[in-house]
């Protein structure tokens, strides 16, 4: 039975469903144990219909909300036949060939019953800090097949009718290098799913299940109808882009977007065959990336749900880097293949938006991804650990404003927290100067940090370097805007860093510590006490011609240390008074004219 | 139907068909089905033209810029592989 819903009730209840996903996220952060969950936001919490269709994807990574929907469907298929689905059960799945993206992202899904009737599902994922792979932390640069990448679980019942299966739980955590922390992360997922169940049951009790069902259907219909209308407003066409996943090898990804009426067909035909490195994406992850690109460009103000699936069709040939088949590895994919597919799917959508008078203002410069590292070893308290190093990125500029500096969905860890838990000393961590791509609107600045091993009982820490390892990563400019500074992981070996530490001085310039400088591809190595690890996050790309940027804004960028004096003059063509740093508008006009003539001659 | 194509370019239709033209100077670049990039004035510059932190790209990549052949409006800037450009792969 479907009952009609008045607009006010619809608004209240649809927002209440959204609020439940936010409370699930808060629960993950407060109960979880590792930095990924408690500080970095590397998790997902969402609600689903009884058949696994997305009801509310919350504010988490939409790609995971889509994939977790597939996880619910796989659990239904498996357990309806064998094992049963009962109130207060909680299931676990992390098989990338079924629904997950890579094994470290553990999906937990839980049926939500009301008076013994299945009314829906909740789902979470957290990126656990170890999964028993060949490399600590799970991301395994040396893996050539999935069997080297840790536990792969096609679906099991972790909680049976409300009772934790301790034998299963202990088996799982004992197969990781960090059983206590992984155990905490699994329990935070159980807690978040329990919160979802309790809150949903309160709603069913208060409003009755029929009204909630009607609101759910209306939410999906609403998102789909508005999205379809928006897509129809844009001229039909075909847009292409190509990119590469780069490290010491290279894999090409090709994408053509065909738009006709209210249909968006993302066609990856022509992409390279799957690799024997863990950069490959399963089909559902490629779908999830395109889903995320669509909801963040055309549906950013709409409830994120199955309604956004409707217009999307994916063509991804089997056995390629965008539709991996057994036994190819996947452990590096969220920060490699995923970044490339996210970039390309957003890029073709941006090209499409630019052809619409109404939508062209939404165009934004995009990023090809960033570097990231895991670190593992014995900490200053004598305990083995595994953790993460990454930093805040700058966002791309848009057609009407500068990109945001050092922000983003994935937040960054606190330096003092890192130093007090792990054997590291930061030499500096700061916003990047000259990082953001130049443009009429400048890309947001990323960050840079340098750290060394400190108070490490073994005198070393293992580092696993991954992410987008080619130099053509970071923000890409759009419509004349310049690219941003590349994201880097650099090893400086045999430096003078101990001299700085012993004298309690810190280098202003990284070159001051000396040593042999090496850019890091995908690799695993020991960082030793005389070494320094330098991490530069991605910055945002610029929008439009830098010579059209308001000179007053360039002066402000200089005062805010976002750009250097050289960049103000050489790239932006702005002449500034030496003392006041106020722009000389007449001289600026002349310099810009000369630069324009020189560049385009 | 006329509609924008991207910043500084638009699709323009007349009795002879659909064309891509510059919005700043109205110079027609090519037919809609042709690649407007092939008509642009093109420069290849050292990557450090985009800023001092691009120095790690020197020797591997160049900064390619495309300009309207009519008025010199900047239409595109991107990093391209140096080796792909053959004899053109020399920065100015």
């Amino acid at each position: 039975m479907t009952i009609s819903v008045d607009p006010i009730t619809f608004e209240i209840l649809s927002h209440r469903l959204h609020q439940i996903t936010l409370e699930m996220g808060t629960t993950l952060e407060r109960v979880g144990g590792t930095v990924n969950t408690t500080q970095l936001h590397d998790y997902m919490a969402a609600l689903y219909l009884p058949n696994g269709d997305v009801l509310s994807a919350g504010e988490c990574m939409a790609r995971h909300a889509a994939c977790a929907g597939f996880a619910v469907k796989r659990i239904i298929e498996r357990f309806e036949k064998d094992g049963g689905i009962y109130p207060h059960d909680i299931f676990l799945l992390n098989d990338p060939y079924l629904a997950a993206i890579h094994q470290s992202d553990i999906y937990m899904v839980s049926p939500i019953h009301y008076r013994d009737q299945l009314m829906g599902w909740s789902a979470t994922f957290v990126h656990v800090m170890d999964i028993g792979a060949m490399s600590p932390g799970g991301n395994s640069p040396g893996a050539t097949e999935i069997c080297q990448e840790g536990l792969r679980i096609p679906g099991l019942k972790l909680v049976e009718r409300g009772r934790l299966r301790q034998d299963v739980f202990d088996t799982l955590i004992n197969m990781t290098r960090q059983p206590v922390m992984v155990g905490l992360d699994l329990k935070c997922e159980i807690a978040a799913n329990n919160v979802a169940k309790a809150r949903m049951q309160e709603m069913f009790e208060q409003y009755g299940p029929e009204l909630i069902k009607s609101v759910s259907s209306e939410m999906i219909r609403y998102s789909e109808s508005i999205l379809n209308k928006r897509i129809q407003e844009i001229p039909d066409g075909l847009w292409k882009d190509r990119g590469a996943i780069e490290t010491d090898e290279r894999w090409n990804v090709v994408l053509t977007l065909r738009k006709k009426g209210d249909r968006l067909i993302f066609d990856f035909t022509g992409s390279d065959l799957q690799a024997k490195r863990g950069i490959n994406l399963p089909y559902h992850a490629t779908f999830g990336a395109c889903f995320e690109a669509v909801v963040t460009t055309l549906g950013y103000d709409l409830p994120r749900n199955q309604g956004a699936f409707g217009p999307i069709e994916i063509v991804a040939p089997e056995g390629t880097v965008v539709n991996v088949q057994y036994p190819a590895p996947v452990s590096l994919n969220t920060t490699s293949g995923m970044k490339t597919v996210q970039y390309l799917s957003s890029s073709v959508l941006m090209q499409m938006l630019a052809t619409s008078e109404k939508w062209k203002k939404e165009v934004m410069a995009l990023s090809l991804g960033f570097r990231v590292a895991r670190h593992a070893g014995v900490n200053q308290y004598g305990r083995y650990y595994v953790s993460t190093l990454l930093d805040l990125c700058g966002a791309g500029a848009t057609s009407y404003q500068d990109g945001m500096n050092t922000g983003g969905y994935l937040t960054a860890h606190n330096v003092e927290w890192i130093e007090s838990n792990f054997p590291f000393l930061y030499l500096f961590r700061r916003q990047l100067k000259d990082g953001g791509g130049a443009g009429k609107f400048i890309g947001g600045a990323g960050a840079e940090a340098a750290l060394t091993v400190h108070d490490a009982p073994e005198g070393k820490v293992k580092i696993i370097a991954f992410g987008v390892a080619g130099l053509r990563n970071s923000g890409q400019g759009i419509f004349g805007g310049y690219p941003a500074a590349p994201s880097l992981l650099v090893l400086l070996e045999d430096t003078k860093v101990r001299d700085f530490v012993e004298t309690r001085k810190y280098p202003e310039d990284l070159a001051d510590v000396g040593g042999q400088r090496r850019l890091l591809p995908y690799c695993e190595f020991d960082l030793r006490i005389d070494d320094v690890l330098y991490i530069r996050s991605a910055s945002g790309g610029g929008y439009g011609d830098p010579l059209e940027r308001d000179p007053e804004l360039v002066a402000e960028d200089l005062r805010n240390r976002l750009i250097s004096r050289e960049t103000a003059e050489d790239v932006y063509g702005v002449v500034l008074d030496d003392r006041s740093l106020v722009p000389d508008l007449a001289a600026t006009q002349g310099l810009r004219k000369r630069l324009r003539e020189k560049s385009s001659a | 139907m006329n509609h924008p194509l991207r910043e500084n370019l638009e699709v323009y239709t007349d009795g002879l068909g659909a064309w891509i033209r510059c919005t700043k100077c109205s110079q027609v670049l090519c037919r809609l089905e042709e690649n407007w990039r092939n008509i642009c004035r093109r420069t290849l510059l050292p990557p450090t033209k985009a800023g001092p932190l691009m120095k790690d790209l020197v020797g591997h990549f160049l900064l390619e810029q495309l300009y309207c052949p009519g008025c010199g409006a900047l239409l595109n800037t991107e990093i391209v592989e140096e080796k792909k450009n053959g004899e053109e792969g020399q920065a100015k």
Side-chain angles (χ1 to χ4, degrees):
Chain A
M1 183 179 77
T2 304
I3 57 176
S4 64
V5 186
D6 68 83
I8 293 173
T9 304
F10 174 75
E11 284 295 315
I12 291 170
L13 295 188
S14 60
H15 280 85
R16 186 157 161 179
L17 288 167
H18 181 76
Q19 191 62 34
I20 290 172
T21 65
L22 299 184
E23 191 178 349
M24 291 168 71
T26 304
T27 306
L28 292 172
E29 287 185 33
R30 292 191 178 171
V31 182
T34 60
V35 67
N36 287 356
T37 311
T38 60
Q39 293 188 48
L40 300 186
H41 249 150
D42 195 355
Y43 62 71
M44 183 277 306
L47 297 170
Y48 298 84
L49 295 179
N51 67 355
D53 284 356
V54 183
L55 169 59
S56 180
E59 291 176 10
C60 306
M61 290 176 272
R63 56 188 179 275
H64 277 291
C67 292
F70 294 113
V72 173
K73 291 174 195 279
R74 300 294 89 82
I75 291 295
I76 293 170
E77 287 163 10
R78 174 177 289 264
F79 285 89
E80 268 188 348
K81 289 181 197 157
D82 182 21
I85 297 167
Y86 301 104
H88 309 296
D89 283 349
I90 297 180
F91 301 87
L92 184 152
L93 180 153
N94 79 335
D95 187 344
Y97 292 127
L98 290 180
I101 299 179
H102 61 177
Q103 286 105 305
S104 300
D105 294 339
I106 291 190
Y107 290 158
M108 240 182 251
V109 306
S110 176
I112 298 170
H113 290 80
Y114 179 68
R115 296 181 179 167
D116 288 333
Q117 289 290 310
L118 179 66
M119 305 302 293
W121 295 78
S122 59
T124 56
F125 101 79
V126 300
H127 183 124
V128 295
M129 205 49 95
D130 196 72
I131 195 68
M134 65 189 290
S135 294
N139 308 90
S140 303
T144 55
E145 57 178 303
I146 196 161
C147 297
Q148 297 163 312
E149 296 181 313
L151 299 173
R152 182 161 64 97
I153 301 159
L156 58 77
K157 198 177 283 194
L158 184 61
V159 177
E160 188 159 29
R161 300 180 201 235
R163 188 164 173 273
L164 177 70
R165 292 182 62 188
Q166 195 67 44
D167 54 340
V168 175
F169 184 84
D170 290 346
T171 303
L172 293 176
I173 63 172
N174 282 354
M175 292 172 79
T176 72
R177 294 174 177 85
Q178 276 207 299
V180 174
M181 300 308 263
V182 172
L184 259 179
D185 271 351
L186 295 183
K187 288 193 172 176
C188 83
E189 292 203 72
I190 294 172
N193 280 283
N194 284 340
V195 163
K197 187 163 47 194
R199 297 291 176 262
M200 289 298 292
Q201 285 169 342
E202 286 166 11
M203 283 185 78
F204 293 130
E205 196 64 43
Q206 188 174 353
Y207 295 98
E210 294 308 324
L211 180 60
I212 304 302
K213 277 187 201 171
S214 297
V215 169
S216 302
S217 302
E218 179 59 17
M219 282 170 69
I220 292 172
R221 190 206 62 76
Y222 174 78
S223 292
E224 183 162 16
S225 63
I226 302 241
L227 195 56
N228 286 354
K229 182 170 172 290
R230 290 176 179 176
I231 295 169
Q232 279 177 326
E233 289 171 350
I234 298 167
D236 287 349
L238 183 144
W239 299 273
K240 295 181 178 182
D241 203 351
R242 59 189 306 133
I245 306 157
E246 294 174 315
T247 175
D248 44 2
E249 294 178 77
R250 173 192 170 117
W251 302 273
N252 295 304
V253 185
V254 179
L255 176 57
T256 301
L257 171 64
R258 289 194 296 276
K259 185 259 159 189
K260 189 169 184 188
D262 61 4
R263 302 289 300 156
L264 296 173
I265 302 165
F266 294 86
D267 186 345
F268 290 90
T269 301
S271 299
D272 278 355
L273 295 177
Q274 64 191 34
K276 286 193 173 180
R277 300 292 283 273
I279 55 95
N280 307 292
L281 285 184
Y283 173 86
H284 48 266
T286 300
F287 179 93
C290 296
F291 168 74
E292 185 169 270
V294 170
V295 295
T296 52
T297 52
L298 281 159
Y300 53 83
D301 55 341
L302 299 177
R304 294 176 174 192
N305 56 44
Q306 195 77 17
F309 279 41
I312 302 172
E313 185 181 328
I314 307 294
V315 179
E318 283 189 4
T320 63
V321 291
V322 292
N323 187 354
V324 63
Q325 304 294 304
Y326 182 86
V330 297
S331 65
L332 307 167
N333 65 7
T334 53
T335 53
S336 57
M338 176 59 78
K339 294 295 169 202
T340 304
V341 170
Q342 282 178 304
Y343 175 84
L344 294 176
S345 53
S346 298
S347 168
V348 291
L349 285 169
M350 292 302 165
Q351 293 177 51
M352 182 186 83
L353 294 188
T355 67
S356 163
E357 200 62 62
K358 179 176 176 181
W359 285 94
K360 67 179 185 181
K361 69 178 186 303
E362 302 293 345
V363 170
M364 177 181 184
L366 303 165
S367 175
L368 262 168
F370 51 83
R371 300 305 313 271
V372 59
R374 301 258 181 250
H375 54 107
V378 177
N379 70 5
Q380 54 268 53
Y381 312 108
R383 291 196 295 269
Y384 182 83
Y385 79 92
V386 185
S387 197
T388 308
L389 287 171
L390 56 75
D391 222 318
L392 296 168
C393 294
T398 70
S399 67
Y400 57 91
Q401 67 179 9
D402 297 338
M404 179 180 59
N405 300 315
T406 49
Y409 175 76
L410 279 177
T411 47
H413 47 70
N414 173 294
V415 166
E416 286 72 25
W417 181 87
I418 287 274
E419 289 180 334
S420 63
N421 282 280
F422 308 118
F424 283 129
L425 185 70
Y426 272 78
L427 305 179
F428 58 77
R429 182 185 183 211
R430 59 199 176 201
Q431 198 157 270
L432 201 55
K433 186 190 283 186
D434 286 326
K440 179 178 176 183
F441 295 102
I442 187 174
E448 63 177 349
L451 60 162
T452 186
V453 172
H454 182 70
D455 200 11
E458 295 186 334
K460 63 181 182 181
V461 171
K462 184 176 285 297
I463 301 288
I464 297 104
F466 58 106
V468 179
L471 285 169
R472 198 166 27 176
N473 58 18
S474 193
Q476 305 299 298
I478 193 163
F479 302 161
Y482 284 25
S487 176
L488 302 177
L489 276 176
V490 176
L491 173 63
L492 296 167
E493 293 174 289
D494 302 322
T495 68
K496 298 179 287 184
V497 67
R498 298 336 293 174
D499 297 343
F500 282 91
V501 174
E502 282 162 17
T503 55
R504 293 179 175 268
K505 289 179 180 168
Y506 298 94
E508 178 68 24
D509 188 329
L510 190 62
D512 295 345
V513 299
Q516 319 293 319
R517 182 179 189 270
R518 185 155 68 91
L519 288 172
L520 297 172
Y522 292 162
C523 60
E524 191 172 323
F525 64 95
D526 288 334
L527 187 72
R528 298 182 180 278
I529 54 171
D530 289 330
D531 299 340
V532 170
L533 183 67
Y534 172 76
I535 304 171
R536 185 198 291 163
S537 69
S539 296
Y543 184 104
D545 188 347
L547 297 182
E548 293 181 13
R549 184 165 178 77
D550 182 341
E552 298 288 351
L553 293 178
V554 174
E556 195 176 314
D557 296 337
L558 182 65
R559 288 193 291 272
N560 289 335
R561 294 175 52 86
L562 291 172
I563 61 170
S564 60
R565 182 74 186 265
E566 293 71 29
T567 297
E569 290 191 3
D570 299 345
V571 179
Y572 288 97
V574 174
V575 180
L576 298 146
D577 179 82
D578 282 336
R579 285 192 171 182
S580 66
L581 295 181
V582 170
D584 179 333
L585 296 182
T588 294
Q589 198 173 21
L591 177 59
R592 285 183 162 183
K593 186 168 182 288
R594 289 194 298 280
L595 286 172
R596 201 169 268 127
E597 286 167 355
K598 187 178 166 191
S599 295
S600 62
Chain B
M1 185 182 71
N2 296 352
H3 63 77
L5 182 65
R6 52 191 280 137
E7 183 93 354
N8 294 336
L9 290 181
E10 67 179 354
V11 175
Y12 157 77
T13 308
D14 62 16
L16 297 173
W19 308 86
I20 295 172
R21 72 178 180 185
C22 175
T23 52
K24 292 213 165 180
C25 68
S26 296
Q27 163 93 38
V28 173
L29 270 64
C30 60
R31 289 184 176 277
L32 178 59
E33 59 274 18
E34 294 174 325
N35 188 347
W36 58 269
R37 292 165 191 265
N38 296 338
I39 316 302
C40 293
R41 284 217 305 271
R42 176 172 178 251
T43 62
L44 289 166
L45 302 162
T48 46
K49 175 73 172 71
L53 298 185
M54 307 297 278
K55 65 185 176 194
D56 286 303
L57 279 68
V58 173
H60 306 284
F61 296 100
L62 294 170
L63 190 73
E64 180 195 73
Q65 296 198 300
L66 302 178
Y67 295 89
C68 169
C71 65
L74 179 61
L75 300 176
N76 199 63
T77 302
E78 68 181 302
I79 294 290
V80 296
E81 281 182 78
E82 191 168 326
K83 62 182 180 188
K84 254 181 27 180
N85 295 284
E87 73 282 2
E88 292 179 284
Q90 298 296 317
K92 284 186 179 180

